[in-house]
Amino acid sequence: MSAANSRIERFINNLRQNLTDGNYYEGHQELRAIAIRLVKQKKHSRAIQLLYLGALELCQYNQWGSVADLASFMINIYVEEKLPVTDDNKERIYGILEKLSQATEYYPRVYEAAIQWTIKEQEGGVGDSQMHHFIGCLQRNKGRYQEAEQHFLVGTSESPQALGGMLFDWAMRTGRQPDYGLFVARGVLKYLAIGWYDAACFCWKAFVAKLALALPDEVKQQQQQQSKLSPVYYCNTQPLVNFGQLLLLAVERADGKPESPSTRVFIQIRNNYVSSFGDENGQTVNDLLDIVGEKYFGIVVHRQQSLFDIVNSMFAAPSSQPRIQSPSTEAMD
C-alpha cells in the first residue's frame, strides 16, 4: 500500500471511530478540513478519494446532510479541476447517489451539481446521457415519476423503453380507470418534439405491451404492417391510446411536404383527437403538435414559446390524471 493510500485509510478509520462514538458532526468536519488541506496542496485525487469514501461511511449512519455536503465538495473539485466525464468519475457520483436517493431533501442538490458538471465539460447540451438515465432510474424506483421523466427524455437508448414502462406504472397508480392514452402521450409527443422518433416508438411499444397484458379484451393486436411500430394495436375503449399510435405511423411516412398525403393524415389525426385532451391539456398538446407539424410535415407555425419551454410544460405531476401544463425547466437548464 502506498503512503498516500495509507494516509487515506487512516483518515477514514478516524472517521469510523467518530461515527461509532456518535460524533457525527465532529467526524464530518474533521474529514472536510483534511480535504480542504489536500486541495490547497494540489492533491486533488486524494481529496476526491477521501470525500468519496467519507460520504459512503456517513451513509451508513443516515447522515444525509453531511453526505450531500461531502459529495457536493467532491463534484466542485471535478468542476474546478475540469475533470473529464469518465466512467470512473461518474461511478463515484453514482455510488453516493444510489444511497442518498432516499433523502429527498438533499438528493436534488447533488444530482443537479453532477449534471451541471457534465454540461460544462461537454460544452453545452443537457449533460451526460448516461447520468440522466441513471438518475431517471433512481427516481422511477422511488416512485418520483415526474422527476424521472425529465431525465429519461434526454437519456440513453435504453431510456425510451424505461419511460414507456414507467408511464404505464404511473397510470396504474393514479386511479381505477386512468386514461392510459393521456399518460403515453407524455412520452410520445415530447420525444417527437425533440426530434427523436425512434425513442417515441420505443416508448410507445413498451407502454402498449404492458397495456395489452393488463387489458386483453380491450387492446387487440392488428394485422402486421411493415413499420418500426409493429405490432400495431387497436384499443376499443381508449381513443387517446390510438392517437399516439396513429401519430407515430403518420410521422413514419412523413416527407416534409405540407401538401403530401402523410401531412393530410397528420392534420386529420390532430383534428379528430386534440379535443379529447380536454381544456386543461389542449393548449400544450396543440403547441407540441405545432412542433411535430413543423419538424416532420413542413407546416411552419410562428410560436411564442421556445421548444424547451413547451416540452417541459408537460412536467406537472398528475393527481388522478396527468396535467399537461405548469412549466418547470430547472432540472433541464
Side-chain angles (χ1 to χ4, degrees):
M1 180 182 296
S2 68
N5 287 338
S6 178
R7 287 183 179 181
I8 294 293
E9 184 177 3
R10 187 173 74 251
F11 296 147
I12 293 299
N13 284 335
N14 290 341
L15 173 64
R16 286 174 182 150
Q17 187 59 55
N18 272 315
L19 296 179
T20 300
D21 294 341
N23 300 321
Y24 305 128
Y25 179 79
E26 290 81 357
H28 167 213
Q29 291 301 313
E30 181 180 303
L31 187 139
R32 200 180 200 286
I34 295 168
I36 291 172
R37 187 165 69 244
L38 290 171
V39 169
K40 289 180 178 179
Q41 295 171 352
K42 306 297 183 184
K43 298 175 181 178
H44 299 103
S45 60
R46 295 187 197 177
I48 288 170
Q49 186 69 359
L50 180 66
L51 291 166
Y52 168 63
L53 294 175
L56 293 183
E57 291 293 332
L58 285 158
C59 285
Q60 298 181 44
Y61 293 84
N62 298 332
Q63 297 299 301
W64 304 121
S66 296
V67 172
D69 177 66
L70 296 185
S72 298
F73 189 176
M74 182 185 77
I75 294 169
N76 187 61
I77 297 174
Y78 283 14
V79 173
E80 293 296 324
E81 296 305 307
K82 302 185 186 310
L83 296 187
V85 183
T86 63
D87 288 343
D88 285 345
N89 288 335
K90 288 189 291 186
E91 284 296 332
R92 295 188 195 95
I93 296 172
Y94 294 164
I96 295 171
L97 284 178
E98 195 164 19
K99 299 178 184 300
L100 186 61
S101 61
Q102 59 188 289
T104 55
E105 181 180 355
Y106 300 103
Y107 178 64
R109 167 185 166 189
V110 176
Y111 79 66
E112 287 167 9
I115 291 295
Q116 287 301 316
W117 161 62
T118 68
I119 290 173
K120 289 181 180 179
E121 289 307 305
Q122 294 176 346
E123 298 183 350
V126 294
D128 184 75
S129 60
Q130 291 181 341
M131 184 167 291
H132 276 296
H133 182 75
F134 179 85
I135 294 170
C137 289
L138 284 182
Q139 298 281 39
R140 176 200 61 195
N141 294 343
K142 296 293 182 180
R144 301 170 195 152
Y145 298 137
Q146 180 188 0
E147 293 85 353
E149 179 185 49
Q150 299 183 48
H151 295 285
F152 284 144
L153 282 173
V154 289
T156 67
S157 59
E158 298 176 353
S159 298
Q161 185 172 358
L163 177 57
M166 185 199 79
L167 289 170
F168 178 82
D169 296 339
W170 195 356
M172 292 293 288
R173 289 185 58 174
T174 55
R176 292 183 179 180
Q177 294 181 319
D179 190 333
Y180 293 100
L182 194 55
F183 282 87
V184 73
R186 295 175 70 95
V188 169
L189 284 171
K190 286 184 278 188
Y191 276 133
L192 287 177
I194 62 177
W196 197 359
Y197 172 74
D198 286 350
C201 290
F202 286 128
C203 177
W204 157 262
K205 290 169 75 171
F207 185 98
V208 79
K210 284 192 166 187
L211 184 62
L213 290 174
L215 304 175
D217 295 331
E218 300 175 31
V219 182
K220 301 292 186 181
Q221 185 172 327
Q222 302 297 294
Q223 186 176 358
Q224 289 280 23
Q225 300 182 26
Q226 283 193 334
S227 167
K228 287 185 177 181
L229 209 57
S230 297
V232 174
Y233 291 87
Y234 174 74
C235 183
N236 57 27
T237 59
Q238 300 267 342
L240 290 183
V241 172
N242 300 325
F243 161 79
Q245 180 173 246
L246 290 170
L247 179 61
L248 289 169
L249 290 169
V251 170
E252 185 177 30
R253 292 160 175 77
D255 58 8
K257 299 177 181 179
E259 304 302 326
S260 68
S262 61
T263 301
R264 290 196 292 272
V265 170
F266 166 71
I267 293 171
Q268 184 178 358
I269 292 169
R270 181 173 188 167
N271 291 338
N272 289 347
Y273 286 96
V274 165
S275 61
S276 298
F277 284 94
D279 294 338
E280 190 173 33
N281 297 315
Q283 183 57 56
T284 301
V285 171
N286 271 314
D287 288 340
L288 287 164
L289 287 172
D290 283 346
I291 297 169
V292 172
E294 182 175 351
K295 192 176 293 290
Y296 300 99
F297 299 98
I299 304 172
V300 179
V301 177
H302 298 289
R303 56 181 182 268
Q304 298 282 328
Q305 286 182 289
S306 69
L307 167 61
F308 229 43
D309 286 339
I310 294 170
V311 170
N312 277 349
S313 67
M314 292 180 77
F315 283 166
S319 50
S320 60
Q321 297 292 351
R323 299 175 59 201
I324 311 181
Q325 55 180 23
S326 301
S328 173
T329 60
E330 293 180 5
M332 307 289 287
D333 288 340

